[in-house]
Coordinates of all heavy atoms in Angstrom, one line a residue:
Chain B
S228 N -9.7 -32.2 6.7 CA -8.4 -32.8 6.8 C -8.3 -33.6 8.1 O -9.1 -33.5 9.0 CB -7.4 -31.6 6.9 OG -7.6 -30.8 8.0
T229 N -7.2 -34.3 8.3 CA -7.0 -35.0 9.5 C -6.8 -34.1 10.7 O -7.2 -34.4 11.8 CB -5.7 -35.9 9.4 OG1 -4.6 -35.1 8.9 CG2 -5.9 -37.1 8.5
F230 N -6.3 -32.9 10.4 CA -6.2 -31.9 11.5 C -7.5 -31.5 12.0 O -7.8 -31.6 13.2 CB -5.4 -30.6 11.0 CG -5.4 -29.6 12.1 CD1 -4.5 -29.6 13.1 CD2 -6.4 -28.6 12.1 CE1 -4.5 -28.7 14.1 CE2 -6.4 -27.7 13.1 CZ -5.5 -27.7 14.1
V231 N -8.5 -31.2 11.1 CA -9.8 -30.8 11.6 C -10.5 -32.0 12.3 O -11.1 -31.9 13.3 CB -10.7 -30.4 10.4 CG1 -12.1 -30.0 10.8 CG2 -10.0 -29.1 9.7
A232 N -10.3 -33.2 11.7 CA -10.9 -34.4 12.3 C -10.4 -34.6 13.7 O -11.2 -35.0 14.6 CB -10.6 -35.6 11.4
S233 N -9.2 -34.4 13.9 CA -8.7 -34.7 15.3 C -8.9 -33.5 16.2 O -9.0 -33.7 17.4 CB -7.2 -35.1 15.3 OG -6.5 -34.1 14.6
F234 N -9.0 -32.3 15.7 CA -9.1 -31.1 16.6 C -10.6 -31.0 17.0 O -10.8 -30.7 18.2 CB -8.7 -29.9 15.9 CG -8.7 -28.7 16.8 CD1 -7.6 -28.5 17.6 CD2 -9.7 -27.8 16.8 CE1 -7.6 -27.4 18.5 CE2 -9.7 -26.7 17.7 CZ -8.6 -26.5 18.5
M235 N -11.5 -31.3 16.1 CA -13.0 -31.1 16.5 C -13.5 -32.5 17.0 O -13.4 -33.5 16.3 CB -13.8 -30.7 15.3 CG -13.3 -29.4 14.7 SD -13.5 -28.0 15.8 CE -15.2 -27.8 15.9
G236 N -14.1 -32.5 18.2 CA -14.6 -33.7 18.7 C -13.8 -34.3 19.8 O -12.6 -34.2 19.8
A237 N -14.5 -34.7 20.9 CA -13.7 -35.2 22.1 C -14.5 -36.5 22.5 O -15.7 -36.3 22.8 CB -13.6 -34.2 23.2
P238 N -13.9 -37.6 22.5 CA -12.6 -37.9 22.1 C -12.5 -37.7 20.6 O -13.5 -37.7 19.9 CB -12.4 -39.4 22.4 CG -13.7 -39.9 22.5 CD -14.6 -38.8 23.0
P239 N -11.2 -37.5 20.0 CA -11.1 -37.2 18.6 C -11.5 -38.4 17.7 O -11.7 -39.6 18.2 CB -9.6 -36.9 18.4 CG -9.0 -37.5 19.6 CD -10.0 -37.6 20.7
M240 N -11.6 -38.2 16.4 CA -11.9 -39.2 15.5 C -10.8 -40.3 15.5 O -9.6 -40.0 15.6 CB -12.0 -38.5 14.1 CG -12.5 -39.4 13.0 SD -12.5 -38.5 11.4 CE -14.2 -38.1 11.3
N241 N -11.2 -41.5 15.4 CA -10.2 -42.6 15.3 C -9.6 -42.5 13.9 O -10.2 -42.4 12.9 CB -10.9 -44.0 15.4 CG -11.5 -44.2 16.8 OD1 -10.8 -44.1 17.8 ND2 -12.8 -44.4 16.8
M242 N -8.3 -42.6 13.9 CA -7.5 -42.6 12.6 C -6.9 -44.0 12.4 O -6.0 -44.4 13.2 CB -6.4 -41.5 12.7 CG -6.9 -40.2 12.9 SD -7.7 -39.5 11.5 CE -8.1 -37.9 12.0
L243 N -7.3 -44.7 11.4 CA -6.8 -46.0 11.2 C -6.1 -46.2 9.9 O -6.4 -45.5 8.9 CB -8.0 -47.0 11.3 CG -8.8 -46.9 12.6 CD1 -10.1 -47.6 12.5 CD2 -8.0 -47.5 13.8
P244 N -5.1 -47.1 9.8 CA -4.4 -47.2 8.5 C -5.3 -48.0 7.5 O -5.9 -49.0 7.9 CB -3.2 -48.0 8.9 CG -3.6 -48.8 10.1 CD -4.6 -48.0 10.8
G245 N -5.5 -47.5 6.3 CA -6.3 -48.1 5.3 C -5.5 -48.2 4.0 O -4.4 -47.7 3.8
V246 N -6.2 -48.9 3.0 CA -5.6 -49.0 1.7 C -6.7 -48.7 0.7 O -7.8 -49.1 0.8 CB -5.1 -50.5 1.4 CG1 -4.6 -50.6 0.0 CG2 -3.9 -50.8 2.4
A247 N -6.3 -48.0 -0.4 CA -7.3 -47.7 -1.4 C -6.9 -48.4 -2.7 O -5.8 -48.3 -3.1 CB -7.4 -46.1 -1.6
E248 N -7.9 -49.1 -3.3 CA -7.6 -49.7 -4.6 C -9.0 -50.0 -5.3 O -10.0 -50.1 -4.6 CB -6.8 -51.0 -4.4 CG -7.4 -52.0 -3.5 CD -6.5 -53.2 -3.1 OE1 -5.3 -53.1 -3.5 OE2 -6.9 -54.1 -2.6
N249 N -8.9 -49.9 -6.6 CA -10.1 -50.2 -7.4 C -11.3 -49.3 -7.0 O -12.4 -49.7 -6.9 CB -10.6 -51.6 -7.3 CG -9.4 -52.6 -7.7 OD1 -8.5 -52.2 -8.5 ND2 -9.4 -53.8 -7.1
G250 N -11.0 -48.0 -6.7 CA -12.0 -47.0 -6.4 C -12.7 -47.2 -5.0 O -13.7 -46.6 -4.8
A251 N -12.1 -48.0 -4.1 CA -12.7 -48.1 -2.8 C -11.6 -48.1 -1.8 O -10.5 -48.5 -2.0 CB -13.5 -49.4 -2.7
A252 N -12.0 -47.7 -0.5 CA -11.0 -47.8 0.6 C -11.3 -49.0 1.4 O -12.4 -49.4 1.7 CB -11.1 -46.5 1.4
H253 N -10.2 -49.6 1.9 CA -10.3 -50.9 2.7 C -9.7 -50.7 4.0 O -8.6 -50.0 4.1 CB -9.7 -52.0 2.0 CG -10.3 -52.3 0.7 ND1 -11.2 -53.4 0.5 CD2 -10.2 -51.7 -0.5 CE1 -11.6 -53.4 -0.8 NE2 -11.0 -52.3 -1.4
L254 N -10.3 -51.2 5.1 CA -9.7 -51.2 6.4 C -9.5 -52.7 6.8 O -10.4 -53.4 7.0 CB -10.7 -50.5 7.4 CG -10.2 -50.5 8.8 CD1 -9.0 -49.6 9.0 CD2 -11.3 -49.9 9.7
F255 N -8.2 -53.0 6.8 CA -7.9 -54.5 7.1 C -8.7 -55.4 6.2 O -9.5 -56.2 6.7 CB -8.0 -54.8 8.5 CG -7.2 -53.9 9.4 CD1 -7.8 -53.2 10.4 CD2 -5.8 -53.8 9.2 CE1 -7.0 -52.4 11.3 CE2 -5.1 -53.0 10.1 CZ -5.7 -52.3 11.1
D256 N -8.7 -55.2 4.9 CA -9.4 -56.0 3.9 C -10.9 -55.8 3.8 O -11.6 -56.4 3.1 CB -9.1 -57.5 4.1 CG -7.6 -57.8 3.9 OD1 -6.9 -57.0 3.1 OD2 -7.1 -58.7 4.6
L257 N -11.4 -55.0 4.7 CA -12.8 -54.8 4.8 C -13.1 -53.5 3.9 O -12.7 -52.4 4.3 CB -13.3 -54.6 6.2 CG -14.8 -54.1 6.4 CD1 -15.7 -55.3 6.2 CD2 -15.0 -53.6 7.8
P258 N -13.9 -53.6 2.9 CA -14.2 -52.4 2.1 C -15.2 -51.5 2.9 O -16.2 -52.0 3.4 CB -14.9 -53.0 0.8 CG -15.3 -54.4 1.2 CD -14.5 -54.8 2.3
I259 N -14.8 -50.3 3.1 CA -15.6 -49.4 4.0 C -16.1 -48.1 3.3 O -16.9 -47.4 3.8 CB -14.9 -49.1 5.3 CG1 -13.5 -48.5 5.0 CG2 -14.9 -50.3 6.2 CD1 -12.9 -47.8 6.2
A260 N -15.4 -47.8 2.2 CA -15.9 -46.6 1.5 C -15.6 -46.7 0.0 O -14.6 -47.2 -0.4 CB -15.1 -45.3 2.0
D261 N -16.6 -46.3 -0.8 CA -16.4 -46.4 -2.2 C -16.2 -45.0 -2.8 O -16.2 -44.0 -2.1 CB -17.5 -47.1 -2.9 CG -18.8 -46.7 -2.4 OD1 -18.9 -45.6 -1.8 OD2 -19.8 -47.5 -2.6
Q262 N -16.1 -44.9 -4.1 CA -15.8 -43.7 -4.8 C -14.6 -43.0 -4.2 O -14.6 -41.8 -4.0 CB -17.0 -42.8 -4.7 CG -18.1 -43.3 -5.6 CD -19.4 -42.6 -5.3 OE1 -19.6 -41.9 -4.3 NE2 -20.4 -42.9 -6.2
V263 N -13.5 -43.7 -4.0 CA -12.2 -43.1 -3.6 C -11.3 -43.3 -4.8 O -11.0 -44.4 -5.2 CB -11.6 -43.9 -2.3 CG1 -10.3 -43.3 -2.0 CG2 -12.6 -43.7 -1.2
A264 N -10.8 -42.1 -5.3 CA -10.1 -42.1 -6.5 C -8.6 -42.6 -6.3 O -8.0 -43.1 -7.2 CB -10.1 -40.8 -7.2
A265 N -8.1 -42.3 -5.1 CA -6.7 -42.6 -4.8 C -6.3 -44.0 -4.8 O -7.2 -44.9 -4.8 CB -6.3 -42.0 -3.5
R266 N -5.0 -44.3 -4.9 CA -4.5 -45.7 -4.8 C -3.4 -45.7 -3.7 O -2.8 -44.7 -3.5 CB -3.9 -46.1 -6.1 CG -4.9 -46.2 -7.2 CD -4.2 -46.7 -8.5 NE -3.7 -48.1 -8.3 CZ -4.5 -49.2 -8.5 NH1 -5.8 -49.0 -8.9 NH2 -4.0 -50.4 -8.3
G267 N -3.3 -46.8 -3.1 CA -2.3 -47.0 -2.1 C -2.8 -46.7 -0.7 O -4.0 -46.7 -0.4
E268 N -1.8 -46.4 0.2 CA -2.1 -46.2 1.6 C -3.0 -44.9 1.8 O -2.7 -43.9 1.2 CB -0.9 -46.1 2.5 CG -0.2 -47.4 2.7 CD 1.0 -47.3 3.6 OE1 1.0 -46.3 4.4 OE2 2.0 -48.1 3.4
V269 N -4.0 -45.0 2.7 CA -4.8 -43.9 3.1 C -5.0 -43.9 4.6 O -4.7 -44.9 5.2 CB -6.2 -43.9 2.3 CG1 -6.0 -43.6 0.9 CG2 -6.9 -45.2 2.6
I270 N -5.6 -42.8 5.1 CA -6.0 -42.8 6.5 C -7.5 -42.9 6.6 O -8.2 -42.1 5.9 CB -5.5 -41.6 7.3 CG1 -4.0 -41.6 7.3 CG2 -6.1 -41.5 8.7 CD1 -3.4 -40.3 7.8
V271 N -8.0 -43.8 7.4 CA -9.5 -44.0 7.5 C -9.9 -43.4 8.8 O -9.3 -43.7 9.9 CB -9.8 -45.5 7.4 CG1 -11.3 -45.6 7.8 CG2 -9.5 -46.0 6.1
G272 N -10.8 -42.4 8.8 CA -11.3 -41.8 10.0 C -12.7 -42.1 10.3 O -13.6 -42.1 9.5

Side-chain angles (χ1 to χ4, degrees):
Chain B
S228 63
T229 47
F230 174 82
V231 177
S233 55
F234 188 78
M235 302 298 289
M240 189 181 259
N241 293 305
M242 300 288 183
L243 304 164
V246 175
E248 52 191 13
N249 304 331
H253 299 258
L254 179 63
F255 302 123
D256 299 330
L257 173 74
I259 51 164
D261 43 18
Q262 288 165 351
V263 175
R266 296 181 64 84
E268 285 182 29
V269 292
I270 294 172
V271 171

